[in-house]
Amino acid sequence: MDRRNFLRVVGGGVILAAGSGLVACAAATPPEALAAWQTPGTGETDVRRWVLSYAILAPHSHNLQSWLVDLATPQQITLYCDPTRLLPETDPYSRQIMMSHGTFLELLDLAARERGLRAEITLFPEGVFGPVRPDQRPVARIRLVADAGVTRDPLFAQIVHRHTNRNAYDPARAIPDAAWRAMAAAVAPWPLRFGHVDAGAAQALAAQRAIAIEAWRIELTTPRTILESYRWLRIGSAEVAKHRDGLTLLDPKVVWLERLGLFDRSKAPAPDDSATTGQLDEFNRKLATTPAFLWLVSPGNDRVIQINAGRAYVRVQLAATAHGVVMQPLQQALQEYPEVAGPYRDIHRVLDADGQTVQMWARAGFAEPVPPAPRRGLDAHILRG
Ligand SMILES: Cc1cc2nc3c(=O)[nH]c(=O)nc-3n(C[C@H](O)[C@H](O)[C@H](O)COP(=O)(O)O)c2cc1C
């Protein structure tokens, strides 16, 4: 049996059905990878650590968790970007990395408010990074200041319930107007344009589905971009527990392929390999039943805007969570590497964003819940202090 046949058999579930031992490997996420989600902040006496224990629950592209903090100066948090946690192939200008620092800062701000503190956030206090990648200078300096005028934000309560959901969405269940209004209102602090489309505009919905599918096909069949994702795959419970970051894969079929040496993460699969076509088919099925998309567009695209786009995105997701609405970002068509230029142009055109930047585009709907994604835990982020 050659490798491709073997993969097809596995993809068809034959091996899975044959041995109960394999089914037993359909493990849940190991508890040590989820510890950060259990009552964050419990026992923390330094309020900075308390707010940070919520901030590390922020969404981050590929779950890289590139946040490093220095607590050496009392009452101050200095945020840095870990230069070993970037995505140079799919995010060549680190736009998504900056957004992922924005999501962190927004959760930090919400947590500070909960404690009656104003988070005074100074972005890029030693100067703004260049256009390509973060350098050794800080992303932000934060001071937590007691302020009787600070108000709590109800979005705080959603932090521990917010999860990126990659399941199939219910095609028959529309997102209610109240949820769309809450998402739009959540963006209000930030100068980004929020938009959405649903079954009421069938043609627009179909156009967006087609762009998402094409962009995903390009990312999966471009060797350097798929290999970049492979680098962050954590396959099976032991790897997930060890790293507590990246993209979790606990599917027993994949775990066994890996164990049998049939899934080589150093080689990109051919476009017609079942590893590629199987993923494309699954993605196409999910897109076909996706009832809605949403987006955030900014007039410019500098580092501060990218941070603010991340802040706006996580607020949208928290507002959606409060209404039971789930989402999955679809960054493939928004990425700035040459092979994906066609879908990039198309999505900007259909979202009426020529000359602007679509910072976030996501599918949204109702779906079976998913478990939280791993987190490394607060201590892994502390540089000093
Ligand atoms: C800027 C940004 C881009 C993202 N892009 C994608 C994406 O293209 N596809 C996807 O499935 N998830 C995407 N995500 C979601 C992350 O993978 C997710 O936040 C991470 O795995 C942690 O999971 P959680 O959000 O459930 O905590 C993105 C998140 C951010 C903040």
Side-chain angles (χ1 to χ4, degrees):
M1 195 185 284
D2 73 19
R3 177 171 176 266
R4 275 173 40 196
N5 281 338
F6 181 76
L7 288 173
R8 285 208 187 90
V9 170
V10 174
V14 172
I15 282 197
L16 190 64
S20 58
L22 295 179
V23 176
C25 282
T29 312
E32 54 270 56
L34 301 184
W37 292 92
Q38 311 301 323
T39 54
T42 305
E44 296 293 1
T45 49
D46 181 339
V47 75
R48 296 174 300 172
R49 288 184 59 96
W50 191 88
V51 301
L52 287 167
S53 68
Y54 284 92
I56 63 166
L57 304 180
H60 192 306
S61 48
H62 276 46
N63 200 16
L64 296 189
Q65 306 171 43
S66 69
W67 315 295
L68 291 175
V69 293
D70 185 333
L71 302 178
T73 306
Q75 276 135 36
Q76 186 170 296
I77 301 169
T78 309
L79 172 65
Y80 293 89
C81 182
D82 184 339
T84 66
R85 292 175 175 270
L86 305 177
L87 297 164
E89 302 296 347
T90 51
D91 186 23
Y93 304 113
S94 305
R95 181 183 60 81
Q96 295 177 66
I97 296 289
M98 288 297 93
M99 286 182 70
S100 304
H101 279 249
T103 60
F104 179 93
L105 289 169
E106 182 62 26
L107 298 199
L108 183 153
D109 192 359
L110 292 174
R113 287 169 176 278
E114 202 60 20
R115 297 291 296 264
L117 299 168
R118 182 163 38 81
E120 277 183 8
I121 300 175
T122 307
L123 294 179
F124 306 108
E126 293 176 21
V128 181
F129 304 142
V132 179
R133 66 177 60 86
D135 55 39
Q136 75 294 345
R137 291 174 292 173
V139 175
R141 189 162 293 144
I142 303 122
R143 279 174 39 80
L144 299 177
V145 184
D147 182 345
V150 148
T151 50
R152 287 181 169 173
D153 190 319
L155 294 181
F156 171 80
Q158 301 303 326
I159 292 177
V160 293
H161 304 298
R162 181 214 59 80
H163 305 301
T164 301
N165 192 313
R166 300 184 182 86
N167 283 337
Y169 296 174
D170 183 345
R173 196 161 163 206
I175 296 176
D177 284 345
W180 286 125
R181 279 198 302 276
M183 288 185 252
V187 178
W190 305 110
L192 282 104
R193 171 162 66 86
F194 173 78
H196 72 269
V197 66
D198 58 20
Q203 231 177 335
L205 194 61
Q208 294 194 30
R209 284 177 179 150
I211 296 168
I213 286 169
E214 175 59 3
W216 183 228
R217 187 194 64 75
I218 292 169
E219 183 167 320
L220 272 186
T221 56
T222 303
R224 61 195 174 80
T225 56
I226 187 63
L227 286 177
E228 181 168 81
S229 286
Y230 279 8
R231 188 185 155 215
W232 294 99
L233 279 187
R234 308 302 183 208
I235 302 179
S237 304
E239 276 188 20
V240 172
K242 179 172 169 213
H243 296 282
R244 298 176 293 155
D245 63 6
L247 304 169
T248 300
L249 252 178
L250 295 170
D251 180 338
K253 288 169 287 187
V254 184
V255 173
W256 274 92
L257 283 177
E258 210 275 332
R259 283 190 192 159
L260 295 168
L262 292 164
F263 182 9
D264 180 353
R265 276 174 269 180
S266 70
K267 288 197 184 69
D272 64 343
D273 193 309
S274 61
T276 307
T277 56
Q279 274 202 72
L280 286 173
D281 289 348
E282 193 192 341
F283 186 72
N284 294 356
R285 268 197 304 278
K286 287 178 181 171
L287 263 284
T289 54
T290 289
F293 292 88
L294 61 87
W295 54 88
L296 287 168
V297 176
S298 62
N301 186 30
D302 63 29
R303 295 299 189 198
V304 172
I305 289 172
Q306 293 165 0
I307 297 261
N308 291 342
R311 297 189 71 161
Y313 170 65
V314 75
R315 290 181 63 82
V316 168
Q317 203 184 8
L318 293 171
T321 304
H323 286 261
V325 173
V326 299
M327 64 187 67
Q328 175 190 10
L330 298 170
Q331 280 282 335
Q332 287 71 35
L334 311 184
Q335 291 171 158
E336 298 95 342
Y337 62 95
E339 290 88 339
V340 84
Y344 182 96
R345 189 193 52 236
D346 293 344
I347 192 64
H348 281 75
R349 182 177 40 78
V350 304
L351 300 184
D352 204 16
D354 282 333
Q356 305 182 330
T357 303
V358 183
Q359 299 285 355
M360 181 52 86
W361 181 41
R363 65 188 188 104
F366 292 92
E368 288 297 313
V370 290
R375 288 299 186 276
R376 290 186 293 147
L378 180 53
D379 288 335
H381 298 272
I382 310 274
L383 276 173
R384 287 196 300 167

